[in-house]
Amino acid sequence: RYRVESVGRDAPPYSVAETVELRPDAELVAGHYTAALEKVARAADNDDDNDGGDTPFTGSGGRRDALEAMAWEAARIVSVNEALHWRDFEYNDVRVGDTVNGAVEASPLVNFDAAGIPSGPFDGETVLDEFLARVRSGFVCIDALPPPPEEVLLDHDEAARKMRARTLGLEKEAWKDLDFLIQLLTALTPNTNVLVPTQLLGLLPPDQEWPEGFKLDGFVERLKEEKAIVGTASRSPFVSVSEAAPDYPALLRAQRLSFGIWVLLDNVLAGYAPAGSIRQDALELESIEERLDAALRGLNALNSTLKKTLEQRS
């Protein structure tokens, strides 16, 4: 997720961004905050022992506030680098020659690419070391850094754990409601194949206890057994994300669902919040939890309407 801070020049019919801020979701940053805080605090203590007096690790608001703000910024940078670490896996690059209709259209959801799985683990320690080197060199304006969220300040270990648990719980609920939506649509239009984007199905979490009658896990197993080639505007192999890359972070998987599910919710009921241009409003939400919660409210509203319609037909 990113935000355009400034536009450099216009290149009709488009504008060219000059400054772009990468904005990882709060849950991802919180997951790296404890390690970042410990590393920043150790570095500050070492500077005190070696130099005495003021150090680059002190801001105008006091030492504690400075360390917490630096740790949150360091955790944000680690989160960005972790996302870049998985980029080749998360995005199957599509060439014009790979498209079905000569690049006239593109699939609304990009597929994963199993060939892009990183060869080694993500190295967050090196990222933290590079950040600390920039602090020591005076390239980080500590007073300009935002503080961590209040929840993180109160108990960072517990906050990260609770954020993760809430987010993965909402992820599971979203899949259950999506499965119910597909079943309702199938019951209302029995002669029509109700399709879920296969790129989305690859995100289904493994080793879950699904409710009786849950169908989507069976669809995924069938796609894997058939070694399916999926996509509409472009074609690529189906990827079951957690099976192909067991080390792929569960929060990144939930984040991907929190964005991709809006492809199915564009035509949700009028008056639903976030309303208006739904995808843009969802994109501007600051956390995976907020987006999944909004998607759940949309799915619940849609399922309620479809269920009433089905009952009226009975």
XYZ file of all heavy atoms in Angstrom, residues 12 15 78 91 115 121 140 142 149 229 263 273 275 292:
99
model
N -0.159 13.730 -19.797
C -1.535 13.403 -20.166
C -1.619 12.083 -20.926
O -0.776 11.828 -21.799
C -1.949 14.576 -21.052
C -1.078 15.692 -20.589
C 0.229 15.063 -20.215
N -0.721 11.556 -14.534
C 0.236 12.351 -13.782
C 1.344 11.427 -13.290
O 1.107 10.243 -13.036
C -0.439 13.026 -12.591
O -1.416 13.954 -13.035
N 11.379 -2.373 8.162
C 11.522 -3.824 8.082
C 10.313 -4.437 7.377
O 10.451 -5.333 6.526
C 11.691 -4.439 9.493
C 11.634 -5.965 9.426
C 13.017 -4.000 10.106
N 3.647 -11.566 -7.092
C 3.209 -10.946 -8.346
C 3.776 -11.690 -9.538
O 4.977 -11.635 -9.820
C 3.628 -9.477 -8.385
C 2.942 -8.660 -7.330
C 3.553 -8.414 -6.107
C 1.654 -8.169 -7.539
C 2.909 -7.692 -5.119
C 1.004 -7.453 -6.553
C 1.636 -7.213 -5.350
O 0.986 -6.510 -4.364
N 7.521 -19.854 -8.974
C 8.932 -19.766 -9.359
C 9.630 -18.598 -8.683
O 10.867 -18.522 -8.690
C 9.053 -19.649 -10.877
N 15.718 -17.107 3.765
C 14.821 -16.399 4.685
C 15.023 -14.893 4.620
O 16.076 -14.406 4.191
C 15.216 -16.954 6.053
C 16.649 -17.361 5.891
C 16.784 -17.846 4.481
N 18.274 10.693 9.881
C 16.926 10.457 10.388
C 16.552 11.599 11.326
O 17.232 11.835 12.325
C 16.829 9.114 11.135
C 15.428 8.926 11.714
C 17.182 7.954 10.211
N 14.538 12.557 14.059
C 13.772 11.834 15.086
C 12.496 12.576 15.451
O 11.432 11.969 15.637
C 14.649 11.607 16.324
C 15.823 10.689 15.952
C 13.835 11.010 17.468
C 16.839 10.507 17.044
N 1.253 3.392 17.782
C -0.131 3.473 18.266
C -0.190 3.231 19.779
O 0.672 2.555 20.346
C -0.843 2.355 17.496
C 0.023 2.074 16.317
C 1.420 2.360 16.741
N -4.526 -24.508 -14.748
C -4.047 -23.245 -15.305
C -5.204 -22.270 -15.194
O -6.304 -22.549 -15.678
C -3.597 -23.392 -16.765
C -2.489 -24.443 -16.884
C -3.141 -22.059 -17.327
C -1.218 -24.077 -16.140
N -12.684 -7.092 -5.112
C -13.066 -7.354 -6.504
C -14.474 -7.940 -6.553
O -15.247 -7.690 -7.472
C -12.046 -8.301 -7.166
C -12.520 -8.762 -8.545
C -10.686 -7.622 -7.283
N -20.961 0.987 4.282
C -19.745 1.736 4.624
C -18.565 0.773 4.664
O -18.651 -0.273 5.275
C -19.910 2.409 5.979
N -18.586 3.451 1.654
C -19.453 3.599 0.492
C -18.738 4.353 -0.614
O -17.588 4.724 -0.516
C -20.729 4.337 0.899
N -10.626 -6.143 6.517
C -11.363 -7.394 6.634
C -12.692 -7.184 7.356
O -13.704 -7.794 6.997
C -10.521 -8.439 7.372
C -9.362 -9.046 6.585
C -8.553 -9.984 7.480
C -9.863 -9.802 5.349
